[in-house]
Amino acid sequence: MNDATILVVDDHEVVHNGIRDILRSQKMFNIIGDAYNGEEAVEKASLLRPAVIFMDISMPVMNGIEASRAIKTRFPDTKVIALSQHEDKEYVKQFLKSGGDG
């Protein structure tokens, strides 16, 4: 049984596919969509209504912080988890301030 519906958002194909592969190996997860930039993430979140979004922070068109803010404003129950290679704590602060969950 698939409990958690998931949207994977990352602009790097290798990272994106790696996340999908890891999540797919767990039966409790159901990947229902993919997005490759923040704008697409907002559109897919509206269309698919995932329970959880794994969101890259640095992406073209709209970054993950802006996308998270837009998604959490419309869908506050959706959990948005950041994915980032940034070590600067300011990114974490901005993400959490935007409504990100972890």
Side-chain angles (χ1 to χ4, degrees), residues 1-7 23 26-32 49-52 54:
M1 178 179 202
N2 294 323
D3 298 327
T5 55
I6 297 173
L7 174 64
L23 294 173
Q26 304 298 312
K27 294 184 190 306
M28 69 192 91
F29 300 131
N30 179 18
I31 300 169
I32 59 171
R49 300 293 305 273
V52 179
F54 286 95

Side-chain angles (χ1 to χ4, degrees), residues 57-76:
I57 296 295
S58 297
M59 294 182 291
V61 184
M62 176 189 288
N63 69 42
I65 293 169
E66 294 167 351
S68 295
R69 183 177 294 111
I71 291 166
K72 293 296 280 193
T73 298
R74 292 187 60 198
F75 310 107

